[in-house]
């Protein structure tokens, strides 16, 4: 039996899941392929926080288009 958690979770530094007041990260995994030149620019912009950077970029795009 699954227990209800008194908190939601988010992925923090180093890939660890931490308690948060934010919406939990519980969707299926999404993968994206891109040209090498685009990937190099992405890595330069995102640094070591690639997942959070991608989530923010998607959220910003959705905000503009909806």
């Amino acid at each position: 039996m699954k227990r209800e958690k008194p908190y939601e979770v988010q992925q923090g530094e180093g890939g660890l899941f931490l308690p948060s007041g934010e919406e939990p990260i519980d969707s299926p995994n999404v993968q994206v392929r891109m040209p090498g030149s685009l990937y190099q620019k992405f890595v330069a912009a995102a640094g070591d926080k690639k997942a959070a950077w991608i989530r923010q970029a998607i959220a910003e795009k959705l905000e503009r288009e909806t």
Side-chain angles (χ1 to χ4, degrees), residues 9-65:
V9 295
Q10 73 176 11
Q11 193 167 8
E13 297 296 319
L16 300 175
F17 286 88
L18 307 168
S20 165
E22 302 283 324
E23 184 177 354
I25 300 171
D26 58 358
S27 68
N29 186 22
V30 177
Q31 295 181 336
V32 178
R33 306 243 343 140
M34 62 184 81
S37 61
L38 182 59
Y39 182 75
Q40 290 172 352
K41 290 178 184 177
F42 160 64
V43 170
D48 61 348
K49 298 180 180 180
K50 292 176 189 72
W53 195 95
I54 290 171
R55 282 191 293 272
Q56 182 63 37
I58 291 170
E60 289 174 9
K61 176 78 171 172
L62 289 170
E63 186 71 27
R64 287 192 306 267
E65 293 194 4

